[in-house]
Structures are given as C-alpha cells and as structure tokens.
Amino acid sequence: MADGENGAETALDDTFQEHSFGDSSVDATGNAIPEDSGAEDPELEAIKARVREMEEEAEKLKEMQTEVEKQMNLSSPTATPATAFPTPEEKIEADARSVYVGNVDYGATAEELEQHFHGCGSVNRVTILCDKYSGHPKGFAYVEFADKDSILTAMALDDSLFRGRQIKVTPKRTNRPGISTTNRGRGGRG
C-alpha cells in the first residue's frame, strides 16, 4: 500500500507540474493570471482614477474655502463674528425695555399681541413662551419695545381685555443668578 500511496503522490506532482505556468498564478477557474504583466484590472484602474478625481476636487474645495474666508476677512477686518447670544449687559438693557404679559389666551399669536401693544410704542419683539415638550403656549408672553418710555404706556394696558381675557402687564424683571424669590434653599436636607 505504501507503493500505491507513493504512486498517487507522484501522479499529483505531475498534475501540479502540468498546471504550473512559470511566473504566473492560477485563479479559481484554472485560468492563468500573470503576476507582473503591467496590465491591471480595468475596474481597479477606474476606481483609482475616480479616487484621484475626488482628491483633486477636495483640494479645489479647500482652495475655494480659503479664498472665501480671505474675502470675508478683508471685507470686515475689525468686525467680530456675530454671536448668537447677547451679552449680559445687552440682556439687562433689553429687559429694561420689555414687559411681562400674563393670562394670555392660548390661541393668541405674536402678531395679535403686537397689534394690541402697538399704540404704546414701536415693538421690537414679541415672545410667547411654549412648553418644550408639547409645544403648547404657557399662557404668558414678553413684549420688547424700542425704547424704555413705552413701558409706562404699556402699563396702562394692565387689566385690559385681550381676546376676551383680562391680561396682566408688568415690567419684565431680570433674573439674577443665585438669587431666588422662593427661598427653597439649594436642595439640601434639613
């Protein structure tokens, strides 16, 4: 039996030698694949070309972005970037020109409130506060005027009717961090 096994090994070696193509490999179908023929897969070449195009496009976009940034800096070299949040001083100044409006009808719009307070002075902004989860109005609003004198005129509308409800108008107070009007403490026990 040992001779039979050796004969089988010799036959396999002969078969392998018949399919050996020198410097090339054999793929799964038995076709020869040249290793260093210089010609690569056309799909691979297409992918490489597309990657080069994308890299060139990215480089062009970077250049365009830096050019736009340069133009923006040249047009306003002393201008600081616009901040989305006002400074504390600006908040205090805006609060000094604003009134709190309580007992506002839930279906009221900012335009209706602006019309109601239009006779008091120029209205900069009307803010109707809404619940952050449901989106429904909370029943009060803030009206910011262009000047402080309008607050006194707006106070005359206290207890006036707006959409069938008697509204409450008071000067808007400025919240001060760390000062609580409820005197509930800081959450400690005791």
Side-chain angles (χ1 to χ4, degrees):
M1 281 212 72
D3 291 333
E5 287 178 6
N6 276 342
E9 288 178 15
T10 307
L12 284 175
D13 288 340
D14 292 340
T15 307
F16 180 72
Q17 289 175 358
E18 288 177 355
H19 291 289
S20 177
F21 295 102
D23 287 344
S24 48
S25 303
V26 178
D27 67 5
T29 60
N31 297 327
I33 302 174
E35 289 179 4
D36 294 328
S37 65
E40 293 189 27
D41 185 18
E43 290 181 29
L44 184 59
E45 285 297 319
I47 291 171
K48 287 182 179 180
R50 181 68 181 135
V51 168
R52 281 193 297 272
E53 289 174 13
M54 289 173 28
E55 288 173 348
E56 291 170 2
E57 188 174 336
E59 190 64 34
K60 288 179 185 177
L61 286 172
K62 285 180 185 176
E63 290 173 6
M64 289 171 41
Q65 184 175 0
T66 55
E67 184 65 29
V68 168
E69 288 174 356
K70 287 179 185 177
Q71 288 177 358
M72 289 177 62
N73 289 339
L74 291 176
S75 64
S76 58
T78 59
T80 59
T83 58
F85 301 104
T87 64
E89 293 81 21
E90 291 172 338
K91 285 182 183 179
I92 291 171
E93 197 269 328
D95 287 350
R97 295 181 281 116
S98 302
V99 293
Y100 163 86
V101 184
N103 199 27
V104 175
D105 184 59
Y106 294 111
T109 64
E111 291 79 18
E112 291 173 333
L113 275 170
E114 184 177 355
Q115 286 298 319
H116 189 75
F117 286 94
H118 184 68
C120 301
S122 178
V123 176
N124 281 353
R125 178 183 349 181
V126 176
T127 306
I128 299 175
L129 277 80
C130 297
D131 182 77
K132 64 181 174 182
Y133 299 110
S134 66
H136 298 299
K138 290 185 174 183
F140 62 94
Y142 295 104
V143 179
E144 180 185 328
F145 294 100
D147 55 37
K148 292 181 182 181
D149 297 334
S150 301
I151 291 180
L152 297 173
T153 313
M155 294 293 295
L157 293 176
D158 187 26
D159 294 329
S160 66
L161 287 179
F162 174 71
R163 291 191 71 166
R165 298 179 77 162
Q166 191 173 6
I167 59 173
K168 184 73 177 162
V169 180
T170 59
K172 182 179 180 190
R173 62 182 176 84
T174 301
N175 288 333
R176 292 177 186 87
I179 298 176
S180 173
T181 59
T182 58
N183 294 326
R184 288 187 281 178
R186 304 263 313 161
R189 294 182 184 225

